[in-house]
Amino acid sequence: MEKTNPPANHVKFIGELIESWGYPKFDLNTLDKSKIETYINNNTSSSSQLSQDHIDDLRKHMKEMAEQAGKEFSEEQFQSIMNETSDNMGGTYLMSIDNAIIAIGFGQYVLEGTIDEEL
């Protein structure tokens, strides 16, 4: 079987992937429970971290959805949804990072029959 792709640095790819997602930096080699908890607790998102344009676009979209459903748009409900969906993003970030690492490792195993030690 002829290889057509050059060898890739999978760990470098993961770092670039996480950066492209805009996630806060995290040492992927840490096993320190307190550092993990700090990352999770310090990386909660709030509507103030979203751009005002993004919030306005979401509000507009939700108003359109309410109109299509024949219902009245509720600003209170919109704010509630924004608050509920933006809590505890640190845990979501870590879970997404873990899933990416597992997927890349599995893909490498399927394609190459091995997983890089550093991965």
Side-chain angles (χ1 to χ4, degrees), residues 10-109:
H10 300 94
V11 174
K12 181 180 176 187
F13 173 74
I14 291 169
E16 291 170 354
L17 181 64
I18 294 166
E19 186 177 324
S20 75
W21 289 342
Y23 288 5
K25 294 200 181 293
F26 182 73
D27 178 6
L28 300 179
N29 294 312
T30 191
L31 297 175
D32 184 333
K33 183 179 177 181
S34 66
K35 287 183 181 179
I36 294 169
E37 287 175 354
T38 298
Y39 182 87
I40 290 171
N41 294 329
N42 288 343
N43 287 298
T44 56
S45 179
S46 70
S47 58
S48 63
Q49 291 177 314
L50 296 173
S51 74
Q52 190 59 47
D53 288 341
H54 190 91
I55 293 170
D56 291 343
D57 288 344
L58 288 170
R59 182 180 285 109
K60 179 182 173 188
H61 179 69
M62 291 191 74
K63 281 182 181 180
E64 290 171 358
M65 288 175 50
E67 288 173 6
Q68 289 175 359
K71 299 189 177 196
E72 192 172 318
F73 175 77
S74 166
E75 182 66 32
E76 288 176 8
Q77 187 177 21
F78 174 75
Q79 291 300 327
S80 174
I81 290 169
M82 292 295 293
N83 291 335
E84 287 177 24
T85 59
S86 61
D87 282 345
N88 193 18
M89 288 304 294
T92 300
Y93 296 151
L94 281 182
M95 186 171 60
S96 297
I97 291 168
D98 288 346
N99 287 338
I101 293 168
I102 292 166
I104 291 166
F106 181 73
Q108 183 185 20
Y109 183 74

